[in-house]
Amino acid sequence: MSRPLRALIILTPLILIVSCSNPASDKPRAVTSDAAPAASQAVAGERYSITPENSDIEFIGAKVTGKHNGSFDKFSGEIQYAGQPEKSSVRITIDVDSMTTDDAKLTAHLKTADFFDVAKFPQATFESTGITPGGEAGATHTIKGNLTMHGVTKSITFPAKIAAAADAITVDATFAINRKDFGINYAGASDNLIRDDVVLTLRVRATK
């Protein structure tokens, strides 16, 4: 075997690892804990609707050798805006069966009991329990709330950029979340393990 060929064989795994780095490695990580108590009373404010026509919910999942992009096509929610983000609240319900990815076979597999088990758990929900000023990665605020997914409810805390106008409330957030915190434990192939962290991106443009 020639020296150049031996060098190529040695370098190929290193090139593969570098080219398929973890997409969650440079993202803020959501802090996950036991579910927080729900608000004692509903926030009274102006209602802004969250729909697939004005907002996007996207995710990136990764294996050792690559990554896949996905999104949810059906969801609904609202922001009750009470004059400033810290006094406001947000609620979202996601139709998990509406997920799509860049690979049809993967989409079908994600809907099985190996992952989201949509036949048993057709919806995921998020309800905020607190919004505070400031946050990491240039965020204007930090959002805390209860996320229910795959039949598990956890409190998650993540940074977001929130802006309010007369006709719309915008919320932009990108963060990593550990799927195993919600009982999604499928490991994948032994030579191509699935990474625990999933990158979630929210682009909300809630309107009256």
Side-chain angles (χ1 to χ4, degrees):
M1 183 182 296
S2 67
R3 182 176 296 175
L5 182 57
R6 287 199 301 271
L8 179 61
I9 292 173
I10 294 171
L11 287 174
T12 295
L14 297 177
I15 294 171
L16 186 62
I17 291 171
V18 171
S19 64
C20 300
S21 59
N22 187 354
S25 61
D26 61 346
K27 304 297 188 297
R29 292 177 59 88
V31 177
T32 305
S33 59
D34 291 339
S40 58
Q41 59 184 24
V43 173
E46 291 187 279
R47 183 180 184 275
Y48 290 75
S49 296
I50 301 170
T51 71
E53 287 70 38
N54 62 32
S55 302
D56 297 294
I57 302 176
E58 300 173 344
F59 62 89
I60 301 174
K63 299 181 290 186
V64 172
T65 59
K67 63 180 181 179
H68 290 282
N69 297 303
S71 62
F72 295 95
D73 294 336
K74 296 180 181 179
F75 52 87
S76 63
E78 65 178 29
I79 294 174
Q80 288 288 340
Y81 187 69
Q84 60 190 73
E86 297 84 352
K87 297 179 180 179
S88 305
S89 67
V90 58
R91 299 173 61 185
I92 299 177
T93 298
I94 301 170
D95 178 354
V96 182
D97 194 38
S98 74
M99 82 169 70
T100 59
T101 73
D102 52 20
D103 183 288
K105 289 180 66 176
L106 173 63
T107 300
H109 192 189
L110 288 175
K111 295 180 182 183
T112 71
D114 284 343
F115 291 97
F116 287 92
D117 198 359
V118 298
K120 189 174 181 180
F121 308 110
Q123 291 185 334
T125 61
F126 176 80
E127 183 171 359
S128 66
T129 56
I131 301 173
T132 55
E136 62 179 309
T140 62
H141 293 81
T142 297
I143 300 175
K144 183 176 184 178
N146 291 330
L147 174 63
T148 299
M149 180 171 64
H150 192 240
V152 177
T153 301
K154 293 286 187 178
S155 175
I156 65 169
T157 304
F158 58 91
K161 294 180 180 180
I162 303 175
D167 59 345
I169 306 294
T170 65
V171 182
D172 291 287
T174 297
F175 56 92
I177 190 168
N178 191 322
R179 63 189 177 93
K180 289 185 176 179
D181 288 339
F182 295 87
I184 302 176
N185 300 314
Y186 185 74
S190 59
D191 60 348
N192 194 15
L193 295 175
I194 299 170
R195 299 187 188 277
D196 293 344
D197 287 334
V198 176
V199 177
L200 186 62
T201 294
L202 310 175
R203 282 187 286 270
V204 173
R205 303 292 182 269
T207 56
K208 291 183 180 179

